[in-house]
Amino acid sequence: MVDLGVQSTMEGWDTVDGWNETTTLDDPLNDPYNQINKWVEVVPYVTDVTLEMIVQSLSIQARAMDRKDAKDFPKAKKYADPIGKLVPPEIPPVMSMEKIAPDEVHDLGDGRWLFDFAKAFSGMLHFDDGLPEPIVPKSYPRAHGFKKASANGDGFITVMYGESLEMTTGDINRVLVAGLGLHDGGPRHVSKPAGATRSETCFPDDHDNILSQRDVYILPRESDKSLYAKARQSHFTTHAFRFAEVCCTKEPPRAHALLYRTAVRDWGNFDSSNVLINGGYELVKNAMISNMLSVQSDCPHREKLPYGGDLVADSPAALAFFDMSSFYRKAPETIVDWLESQWDNGAYTETSIWQDLNDHTGIGHGAGETVWASAPPVLTVRHYQSYADKGLLKESLPHHIRWLDFLDEYFDKEMKRMGYNEDLSECKH
């Protein structure tokens, strides 16, 4: 949700024109700590002694945890992932990379307008003339109401995002694009007390028991209405969508979409005389772009978890599409992060930042599912084949050897314990 009182001060920070690359810190005028809304390459991490002591203390505590012989770590204990070095990000920022005009705009009635952009991507709606003043319908269309704002007399405009349409109603099918909304803890995130331990569904108010992709622009009733025209877009979230609904306005606002992704360089291109093959190429590349917002994810509207499986499956294509040299070396999910989160027994986790996620489906002892946890060595080989980065190879090889030693010690016996035959080809259960 956006408070329009502060929205206008953020305009332009996430566009190419709003950033400035610098490569030196010697010039006081280019000092990144005195600049606003600047991307600086590379910014050294600055900390005070107290914070550094806390980081070191947490690291010692994490590595002191004995996990060598533990299959299932006791849930009563709060284990911490090994903590690595704090370093500046090496990858380009996430920013707007393409401006997309709507292919069609449909009137859904009651001041609700459906924008069709003809392809799916990650980003958000940008209002060319700012937000129009909202109207108040007799009843808000589904997914566009906001009870608290209505009770306060505040004005608001909602933007609903989705990838497909409900065939019976012609508006966005939210079930297919937002998921169930599972939460497993915290008094503000459970539908009833049992949900804290049983991972039952819970939903924010006005979402009709469906977690929806939605932006809400709110103007308190005592505020100057001219602030509507100063607001252009959301600046702190992206959505995955082809369709966007805007509600509720008298006329359809002039708007386009902004496609956001990590600003890695395009590396290669493909074209042929076959329209189907060309379409397949565009489909794959577009899906990859949609899932590249600092993390190579599998579903941009639901998760941004640093899974290894997507990297193992998609990295050959990504290396052909883009310059992934810095992204795969040190993004929030890739090789160096996995090295730093490796357990003392050599186990790699399922996600580069350990989240106790699906450990029970792997061979245990801190390791995630073996194929996903093998992303670091697999990606190191592919990275070297593309960029011949001997420094990364030298840094990572000892870690990968420890992973192989871990598999040599635990894989066969844990697979047998899970019910597989002697040749590991058949499950007994």
Side-chain angles (χ1 to χ4, degrees):
M1 298 181 184
V2 180
D3 185 335
L4 298 183
V6 298
Q7 168 81 4
S8 59
T9 64
M10 304 175 68
E11 288 299 325
W13 73 271
D14 52 356
T15 63
V16 175
D17 295 336
W19 295 89
N20 179 40
E21 293 189 32
T22 62
T23 56
T24 177
L25 302 180
D26 297 332
D27 183 359
L29 296 178
N30 287 328
D31 183 356
Y33 304 107
N34 293 326
Q35 297 183 24
I36 299 176
N37 299 341
K38 302 296 183 184
W39 168 41
V40 180
E41 183 185 13
V42 173
V43 179
Y45 177 75
V46 176
T47 179
D48 56 38
V49 176
T50 303
L51 180 57
E52 188 63 30
M53 291 175 62
I54 293 174
V55 170
Q56 294 299 325
S57 175
L58 288 173
S59 179
I60 292 171
Q61 293 176 36
R63 294 194 175 277
M65 297 172 184
D66 183 12
R67 294 170 170 269
K68 183 176 181 181
D69 298 316
K71 165 60 185 172
D72 296 312
F73 308 140
K75 299 295 183 182
K77 295 183 179 180
K78 295 182 178 179
Y79 286 107
D81 190 13
I83 299 174
K85 297 177 293 183
L86 288 170
V87 299
E90 299 180 14
I91 66 173
V94 174
M95 60 173 55
S96 174
M97 301 297 290
E98 184 180 347
K99 179 179 177 180
I100 305 174
D103 191 57
E104 295 178 336
V105 179
H106 300 274
D107 184 357
L108 298 180
D110 296 320
R112 184 170 52 147
W113 308 95
L114 176 69
F115 291 75
D116 181 356
F117 293 95
K119 71 173 184 178
F121 51 91
S122 292
M124 75 281 290
L125 219 57
H126 181 97
F127 295 90
D128 299 339
D129 303 318
L131 293 172
E133 288 192 29
I135 62 174
V136 181
K138 293 182 179 179
S139 62
Y140 281 93
R142 64 174 190 157
H144 289 282
F146 187 37
K147 295 177 182 177
K148 290 184 178 179
S150 295
N152 293 335
D154 300 334
F156 63 92
I157 288 178
T158 55
V159 183
M160 180 67 61
Y161 298 90
E163 294 176 307
S164 64
L165 299 180
E166 169 60 54
M167 300 303 294
T168 59
T169 59
D171 55 3
I172 288 176
N173 188 333
R174 290 177 293 148
V175 176
L176 294 183
V177 300
L180 290 174
L182 293 176
H183 297 284
D184 57 5
R188 298 176 60 188
H189 300 289
V190 292
S191 55
K192 49 188 176 182
T197 55
R198 295 173 55 190
S199 294
E200 295 192 4
T201 56
C202 70
F203 307 94
D205 195 16
D206 298 310
H207 278 233
D208 305 325
N209 292 332
I210 301 171
L211 274 182
S212 303
Q213 297 188 94
R214 186 170 76 160
D215 291 338
V216 183
Y217 297 88
I218 307 168
L219 186 67
R221 59 182 177 180
E222 66 276 4
S223 300
D224 183 0
K225 291 187 178 182
S226 67
L227 289 174
Y228 282 117
K230 295 181 180 180
R232 296 291 190 273
Q233 67 183 79
S234 169
H235 287 284
F236 42 82
T237 186
T238 59
H239 305 281
F241 67 101
R242 168 182 168 175
F243 303 98
E245 292 178 15
V246 178
C247 188
C248 297
T249 65
K250 186 177 181 180
E251 300 292 337
R254 286 202 324 123
H256 62 270
L258 294 177
L259 182 154
Y260 274 68
R261 68 167 173 87
T262 301
V264 292
R265 291 183 299 161
D266 282 69
W267 192 257
N269 201 1
F270 173 84
D271 192 22
S272 76
S273 60
N274 189 305
V275 65
L276 293 179
I277 295 178
N278 292 343
Y281 169 83
E282 292 296 332
L283 180 66
V284 172
K285 186 173 183 179
N286 192 59
M288 194 160 291
I289 287 174
S290 299
N291 283 281
M292 194 184 297
L293 293 104
S294 77
V295 172
Q296 191 170 334
S297 60
D298 60 350
C299 42
H301 37 56
R302 289 183 55 191
E303 298 176 311
K304 285 186 66 178
L305 296 179
Y307 288 117
D310 304 287
L311 295 171
V312 171
D314 297 339
S315 54
L319 289 164
F321 285 134
F322 307 105
D323 178 2
M324 304 292 285
S325 54
S326 61
F327 190 97
Y328 279 161
R329 173 183 170 84
K330 187 69 171 79
E333 66 165 342
T334 39
I335 299 172
V336 174
D337 287 311
W338 250 290
L339 305 186
E340 295 180 348
S341 62
Q342 185 177 28
W343 296 111
D344 289 341
N345 61 6
Y348 279 135
T349 56
E350 178 169 338
T351 55
S352 64
I353 302 170
W354 181 70
Q355 301 174 69
D356 194 19
L357 182 67
N358 291 337
D359 283 8
H360 62 282
T361 62
I363 60 176
H365 311 281
E369 295 174 306
T370 305
V371 174
W372 292 26
S374 293
V378 171
L379 203 57
T380 298
V381 172
R382 293 172 179 172
H383 190 279
Y384 185 79
Q385 290 171 338
S386 297
Y387 308 110
D389 187 343
K390 293 183 180 179
L392 178 60
L393 183 63
K394 182 178 180 180
E395 178 185 1
S396 60
L397 188 57
H399 293 267
H400 302 334
I401 292 174
R402 288 172 54 206
W403 167 242
L404 294 176
D405 289 341
F406 170 85
L407 293 178
D408 185 57
E409 180 177 357
Y410 290 109
F411 186 81
D412 283 8
K413 62 183 180 183
E414 291 297 344
M415 292 293 285
K416 293 173 183 175
R417 182 192 60 77
M418 294 167 66
Y420 284 84
N421 290 332
E422 189 67 26
D423 61 0
L424 305 179
S425 62
E426 228 177 278
C427 189
K428 296 178 181 177
H429 302 310

